[in-house]
Amino acid sequence: MAKPSSFVFLFLLHCLMLSLAWTNANITIDKYALLALKSSITSDPYNFLANWSVSSPCNWIGVTYNTTHHGRIHSLNLVGMNLKGTISPQLGNLSFLVELDLSNKNLNGQIPVELVRLHQLRLFILSYNDFHGQVRTWIGDLYMLEHLGFQNHSFYGFIPLSLSNLSRLETLDWTFNFIQGTIPLEVGKLNCLKILQLVGEQTFRNHSPNNL
């Protein structure tokens, strides 16, 4: 078999270098998104995020890197780390994030609307924190969602009709919030739904923002 010409070799080398540069640029986007999240954390008593610094995000605690997803971050799992603070809007730049689990005790504030850009998200769990605000209607735009857990918060309002867009949803848990009204018929269109939990002493009471 004839050896490839120098032109072909240089062309392939150029393509490889472009690919590496593109991958590095993408991982840099993810890196700064995670560093923005770290900066919004006001307390990390066990120093879980200590190595979130100059090293590659692939080696950071709670971060999983997937080479098959364009060299991007696949999952972020900070469960039980006792972190205090808020969610940075820049987290919405993790374009290839598939799993986001921030179940904790002390995160607070509102869920940034920028998270609507996480179109690859399949698992979205924020349980056992202290988030508040109106139930986000844009949740229905996260079409790939399979598991959605917002237990034990202070969300108020009605279950958004946009939930009917989540055709893959298997788990929906909004236990212990201030949900008003009735379960919309659109929820019955979720053919993959296996677990639906909306119970609790606060659920479906006639609350309004002025009562919270």
Side-chain angles (χ1 to χ4, degrees):
M1 181 180 295
K3 294 182 178 180
S5 67
S6 59
F7 174 80
V8 173
F9 174 78
L10 291 174
F11 175 76
L12 293 175
L13 181 61
H14 178 69
C15 290
L16 176 61
M17 293 178 66
L18 286 178
S19 177
L20 290 174
W22 183 71
T23 298
N24 289 334
N26 283 334
I27 198 64
T28 298
I29 292 173
D30 289 353
K31 177 178 180 177
Y32 283 111
L34 293 172
L35 288 177
L37 174 63
K38 181 182 180 180
S39 68
S40 70
I41 300 299
T42 58
S43 177
D44 178 13
Y46 303 109
N47 292 319
F48 283 115
L49 307 185
N51 75 328
W52 284 31
S53 55
V54 296
S55 63
S56 169
C58 310
N59 301 317
W60 293 358
I61 291 177
V63 177
T64 301
Y65 170 81
N66 192 334
T67 56
T68 62
H69 275 219
H70 304 279
R72 305 294 294 271
I73 300 302
H74 175 271
S75 64
L76 179 61
N77 186 326
L78 304 181
V79 176
M81 293 187 179
N82 206 29
L83 305 173
K84 294 182 181 180
T86 59
I87 296 180
S88 167
Q90 282 86 346
L91 206 63
N93 292 335
L94 300 178
S95 305
F96 287 85
L97 196 67
V98 174
E99 298 181 359
L100 176 60
D101 193 339
L102 302 180
S103 302
N104 215 292
K105 291 185 178 180
N106 299 303
L107 297 178
N108 57 70
Q110 297 193 2
I111 302 176
V113 67
E114 287 79 5
L115 299 192
V116 73
R117 301 200 298 263
L118 302 179
H119 293 299
Q120 302 295 323
L121 208 58
R122 298 184 182 181
L123 183 144
F124 190 14
I125 308 293
L126 298 178
S127 304
Y128 303 103
N129 285 286
D130 190 24
F131 293 110
H132 63 271
Q134 192 166 8
V135 176
R136 298 293 184 245
T137 58
W138 51 259
I139 291 294
D141 291 335
L142 301 177
Y143 302 108
M144 302 293 287
L145 272 183
E146 297 175 1
H147 304 282
L148 177 59
F150 286 176
Q151 304 100 304
N152 290 68
H153 293 290
S154 298
F155 295 122
Y156 64 84
F158 300 92
I159 297 176
L161 301 183
S162 62
L163 281 182
S164 62
N165 297 332
L166 306 181
S167 60
R168 300 169 179 259
L169 197 65
E170 298 180 12
T171 304
L172 174 60
D173 192 343
W174 280 352
T175 304
F176 291 101
N177 283 281
F178 297 101
I179 306 299
Q180 300 171 257
T182 59
I183 300 176
L185 295 177
E186 282 74 8
V187 173
K189 299 178 181 179
L190 304 177
N191 296 326
C192 294
L193 195 63
K194 300 175 182 177
I195 299 175
L196 174 63
Q197 297 191 52
L198 300 169
V199 299
E201 62 181 2
Q202 297 171 323
T203 309
F204 292 107
R205 288 185 179 183
N206 187 24
H207 285 282
S208 67
N210 295 327
N211 295 329
L212 299 180

